[in-house]
Amino acid sequence: MAVIDRVPERSRSCATSTEAVHAGENRARPDHALTCGVAQTATYTFNDTADLERYMRGDDGEPNRTEYGRYDNPTVRELEHRLAALERSEDAVAFSSGMAAVAMVLFTFLKSGDHVVLFRDCYRKTRQLVTSTLSRFAIEHSIVPPSDLEALQRELRDNTRLILSESPSNPYLYCVDLDRLARVARAHGRARVVVDSTFATPVNLRPIEHGADLVLHSATKYLAGHNDVLGGIVAGSGALVSLLRDMRGAFGSILDPHAAYLIGRGLKTLSLRVERQNQTAAALAEVLAGHPKVARVFYPSLADHPSRKVALEQMTGFGGVVSFEVRGNRAAASRVVDACRLAQIAPSLGGVESLVEQPAIMSYFELDDESLQSIDMSSSLVRLAVGIEETEDVISDVTRALEQA
Ligand SMILES: *Cc1c(COP(=O)(O)O)cnc(C)c1O
């Protein structure tokens, strides 16, 4: 397999918004094209046998060269370089979806007899993968309450190898004190910290700077930003990323080149989009907090949010997701969702379009109110993932829906 090149040094000193446009770009384009284009190829050619032999020995002097599309692709590579620069990591590796990224992290860094710790508020499919699939491979797990680092410390065992956290988490936006988490992991000595930072984006938080070993994104959400493509990406040290890259080659979970192009294009406007989404969500949260039909609002900047202090310390913005409990029951919340006109009913978040959903129905349809309560999920909760529409339009859509419902 090809020798993997490093992130270009020159991309390291700029502001996030500038890096989101330029970092990792290869200047030597065919025909002097400005953009990277889509390297739509399954394989790569060699001039002659001597050329192939030089490549196999690793002395062909072409660090970017690869042999086969399951291992690498230049369009994918450019996206990886750009995300590594944004996350201040040595390298990054892109996958066909966020869940493919999660699965590859689990399969790369765990083996039978190992133990992994998750927080209860992690992405539901991640939890199911650990509890249903990894348990078939004799990998143990513990699940601790949201952002509870004392509970986490108590669960650490000799065989704990991975701590998988998410900050902010879905749908209540709990934030984990990442500096403290890293200290706990270092004191234990053998557990790597992985942070699913999908909700934060590198615009609002850089987990590596807070001691995380790996940071993971569902690129489907904010990074791509247009609700039109799936992808996942993991950033970290060159050594850890190259282990993931080898696993990706074996599982065939590399990101498609066209998807990489779309995500790379989306990334160029990441800062603009996330700044607008931060601003709209914070304003919406304030309005909802004073609304008579709303029982409770969850957004990290609000005075009564349990993670407010941690969020203010480690984040520069709090993202585009606002969750709120409608006064009344499950049906009352459904009426509010149905009365939204601008926000469409759909799962997902982080795109330019505002989306609304009721987690009790979208994510936990098989659970009744009592079972929902046992996992601290309210049946009258509504999650609004704001897009980049005018702030006032998003707010009036929701407030009008509340009046009508
Ligand atoms: C969506 C999401 C995932 C899964 O990503 P896909 O791209 O849908 O596979 C993982 N973690 C979080 C926090 C997510 O929001």
Side-chain angles (χ1 to χ4, degrees):
M1 215 181 290
V3 179
I4 299 306
D5 52 332
R6 292 266 159 242
V7 177
E9 282 304 317
R10 69 173 172 79
S11 67
R12 295 208 163 246
S13 55
C14 294
T16 305
S17 53
T18 307
E19 283 174 332
V21 179
H22 290 296
E25 283 191 320
N26 178 6
R27 284 278 163 231
R29 306 257 199 235
D31 303 318
H32 300 271
L34 177 65
T35 66
C36 67
V38 184
Q40 192 69 53
T41 186
T43 193
Y44 304 86
T45 59
F46 294 87
N47 297 331
D48 50 30
T49 302
D51 184 29
L52 173 60
E53 285 175 342
R54 276 194 300 276
Y55 167 80
M56 287 298 175
R57 282 195 303 270
D59 64 0
D60 68 342
E62 288 192 63
N64 290 316
R65 189 161 182 179
T66 186
E67 64 180 85
Y68 186 56
R70 203 179 62 245
Y71 302 137
D72 220 338
N73 174 280
T75 312
V76 174
R77 198 73 192 111
E78 186 158 314
L79 170 67
E80 291 168 344
H81 281 152
R82 190 121 45 90
L83 193 88
L86 286 170
E87 290 291 2
R88 303 283 189 268
S89 65
E90 283 177 6
D91 205 351
V93 53
F95 300 95
S96 53
S97 71
M99 275 315 298
V102 170
M104 291 303 94
V105 165
L106 296 171
F107 279 101
T108 301
F109 297 109
L110 293 170
K111 61 180 187 325
S112 69
D114 287 350
H115 174 243
V116 51
V117 187
L118 309 177
F119 292 89
R120 194 171 58 221
D121 53 344
C122 76
Y123 190 66
R124 195 175 186 212
K125 273 278 175 279
T126 300
R127 194 176 63 219
Q128 288 171 341
L129 185 61
V130 168
T131 57
S132 323
T133 307
L134 290 193
S135 57
R136 289 202 282 119
F137 297 89
I139 293 166
E140 302 165 13
H141 65 265
S142 299
I143 297 181
V144 300
S147 49
D148 188 341
L149 293 177
E150 273 94 45
L152 172 96
Q153 213 160 355
R154 283 195 299 275
E155 288 299 327
L156 293 178
R157 307 172 189 169
D158 284 348
N159 59 341
T160 307
R161 292 291 173 274
L162 208 62
I163 301 168
L164 191 52
S165 93
E166 218 169 286
S167 190
S169 66
N170 179 40
Y172 289 107
L173 295 316
Y174 293 125
C175 302
V176 178
D177 182 337
L178 295 179
D179 292 302
R180 235 184 102 201
L181 175 60
R183 280 198 299 277
V184 169
R186 267 199 300 277
H188 174 270
R190 286 187 296 270
R192 293 200 171 93
V193 173
V194 183
V195 178
D196 181 337
S197 195
T198 299
F199 274 53
T201 83
V203 176
N204 290 327
L205 174 71
R206 289 194 173 102
I208 302 264
E209 291 182 341
H210 296 275
D213 295 295
L214 291 167
V215 51
L216 181 153
H217 290 274
S218 165
T220 312
K221 317 293 168 55
Y222 292 98
L223 303 186
H226 291 71
N227 290 321
D228 58 1
V229 63
L230 294 170
I233 197 153
V234 182
S237 71
L240 295 184
V241 166
S242 87
L243 294 174
L244 284 163
R245 198 178 288 285
D246 287 348
M247 193 61 80
R248 182 182 74 176
F251 274 72
S253 53
I254 190 170
L255 184 65
D256 175 80
H258 187 238
Y261 181 82
L262 288 174
I263 296 168
R265 184 162 89 156
L267 257 190
K268 294 196 180 234
T269 54
L270 180 73
S271 288
L272 289 173
R273 288 185 284 105
V274 171
E275 279 159 25
R276 166 65 72 89
Q277 285 162 310
N278 285 342
Q279 175 202 321
T280 299
L284 175 67
E286 292 289 343
V287 169
L288 292 175
H291 199 285
K293 288 195 175 172
V294 172
R296 182 148 183 216
V297 187
F298 297 86
Y299 194 72
S301 62
L302 293 179
D304 66 346
H305 193 281
S307 300
R308 176 182 154 88
K309 186 165 172 290
V310 169
L312 286 173
E313 275 167 11
Q314 69 189 18
M315 300 181 79
T316 50
F318 310 107
V321 174
V322 180
S323 297
F324 57 100
E325 271 172 33
V326 175
R327 279 194 203 285
N329 55 10
R330 175 189 283 251
S334 300
R335 283 196 296 276
V336 175
V337 168
D338 289 344
C340 288
R341 286 288 161 265
L342 187 61
Q344 300 290 307
I345 302 174
S348 204
L349 60 121
V352 292
E353 295 95 355
S354 289
L355 301 177
V356 65
E357 59 127 333
Q358 192 173 355
I361 296 172
M362 187 67 81
S363 304
Y364 298 94
F365 188 65
E366 75 282 12
L367 301 188
D368 59 15
D369 283 16
E370 205 173 297
S371 319
L372 282 174
Q373 229 167 32
S374 73
I375 56 163
D376 292 324
M377 183 65 57
S378 164
S379 62
S380 64
L381 192 76
V382 173
R383 186 188 83 177
L384 200 99
V386 308
I388 62 163
E389 302 93 341
E390 196 62 38
T391 300
E392 282 314 311
D393 289 338
V394 177
I395 292 176
S396 63
D397 188 42
V398 183
T399 50
R400 199 194 31 73
L402 281 161
E403 307 309 327
Q404 276 180 10

